[in-house]
Amino acid sequence: MKKNINKKHNKNEPWLKWLTREFNSYEAFQDFELGKNPKDVAEDFISRNSIAISEVFENFDEEDKDTLDQFLKLTECEMHVFRILEKQIELRNKIRFVDFKKRKKMKS
């Protein structure tokens, strides 16, 4: 993986580490509270970091492309895991428990 050449940060830092650090420090939840959707938040992040990202692309090679492809697969997998968990929570909240001990007595 090539190194990132961003003057603002450690110039020997790998691009993926830089991207992860920058994105983790980005206040995306504030944007969500303002009603922005995830795609808009991502585009805002890219726009705010466009110079550093263009510097990353200057040295991007096949190894970097492979790394990016693997992380795309990983994040897609994580999204599916979160969706499955979300569905399980929804189902769990819909289940009603019946206490058979408190059954009504029927008159004959």
Side-chain angles (χ1 to χ4, degrees):
M1 187 181 321
K2 297 288 181 191
K3 304 298 178 195
N4 180 17
I5 310 174
N6 185 349
K7 311 287 188 266
K8 186 169 121 178
H9 301 290
N10 178 353
K11 65 182 179 180
N12 295 319
E13 183 177 33
W15 69 267
L16 188 59
K17 184 177 179 182
W18 170 84
L19 181 65
T20 301
R21 182 175 42 77
E22 288 297 310
F23 194 66
N24 285 339
S25 67
Y26 186 68
E27 298 294 333
F29 290 106
Q30 290 177 353
D31 290 340
F32 295 145
E33 288 176 2
L34 295 173
K36 290 185 178 182
N37 65 43
K39 183 178 179 183
D40 291 335
V41 173
E43 288 173 356
D44 287 348
F45 173 80
I46 295 294
S47 175
R48 291 180 187 184
N49 292 285
S50 61
I51 293 171
I53 291 170
S54 67
E55 291 174 3
V56 166
F57 284 143
E58 287 176 12
N59 296 314
F60 220 69
D61 64 8
E62 283 303 311
E63 183 181 346
D64 293 315
K65 175 80 170 87
D66 290 342
T67 301
L68 181 60
D69 289 341
Q70 292 302 315
F71 274 90
L72 284 169
K73 291 174 188 174
L74 181 62
T75 56
E76 183 178 353
C77 179
E78 288 173 338
M79 183 194 69
H80 288 294
V81 167
F82 289 134
R83 296 273 189 231
I84 290 168
L85 293 174
E86 180 183 47
K87 286 179 183 178
Q88 288 178 344
I89 290 169
E90 287 174 5
L91 286 174
R92 191 173 128 208
N93 290 337
K94 288 181 181 180
I95 295 174
R96 294 188 180 160
F97 294 97
V98 177
D99 187 354
F100 291 104
K101 294 178 183 176
K102 293 185 178 182
R103 198 168 27 169
K104 289 184 181 180
K105 295 182 180 177
M106 299 189 72
K107 294 183 182 178
S108 3

